[in-house]
Amino acid sequence: MNHQTNMFPIDDEEDICVTLDLDDGTQMECEILTIFEVEGRDYIVLIPIEEDDDESEESAVYIYRYLEDEEGNPTLENILDDDELEAVETQFNELLEELEDDE
């Protein structure tokens, strides 16, 4: 996936969404699940917004390195390093476990 992105709030009371520009020229709308830090870097977790909202199927999540420039404009980068990806996935799984424990 390409790392270009447009971020926009849908509504003050709704979640913030991201439009991902895919390598094949199409776009995918995703909802931001969370942004978290691992070893001094920020990462963002995105969930595709499904048209048919079939909750019986598990949705894929996409995790990217998250950066902002001096003006606050966001950029997403692919995580190419296996060790970095493993550390990020571990932290994300711990966050999910904490969330489940809170419920």
Side-chain angles (χ1 to χ4, degrees):
M1 274 187 217
N2 195 328
H3 61 271
Q4 296 178 12
T5 174
N6 301 313
M7 298 185 72
F8 55 93
I10 299 294
D11 183 14
D12 288 342
E13 295 182 5
E14 291 189 25
D15 295 317
I16 297 176
C17 295
V18 172
T19 302
L20 293 176
D21 295 322
L22 305 178
D23 291 335
D24 65 2
T26 62
Q27 294 184 328
M28 180 183 354
E29 297 293 320
C30 295
E31 185 177 307
I32 297 174
L33 181 61
T34 189
I35 297 174
F36 63 97
E37 185 178 315
V38 177
E39 297 178 14
R41 288 186 166 169
D42 289 331
Y43 297 89
I44 189 169
V45 181
L46 306 174
I47 298 176
I49 298 172
E50 300 296 329
E51 297 294 323
D52 55 3
D53 288 336
D54 183 5
E55 297 198 23
S56 64
E57 296 180 27
E58 288 189 32
S59 294
V61 296
Y62 298 97
I63 302 176
Y64 293 94
R65 193 177 302 132
Y66 177 80
L67 306 157
E68 289 185 4
D69 65 16
E70 303 81 33
E71 294 150 10
N73 298 315
T75 301
L76 304 183
E77 292 180 349
N78 290 320
I79 303 169
L80 303 176
D81 180 75
D82 289 339
D83 292 334
E84 178 184 3
L85 182 58
E86 185 176 329
V88 170
E89 287 176 339
T90 299
Q91 178 66 31
F92 177 62
N93 288 330
E94 289 175 10
L95 291 171
L96 286 178
E97 287 176 12
E98 288 176 20
L99 183 63
E100 288 174 0
D101 290 342
D102 289 344
E103 290 179 356

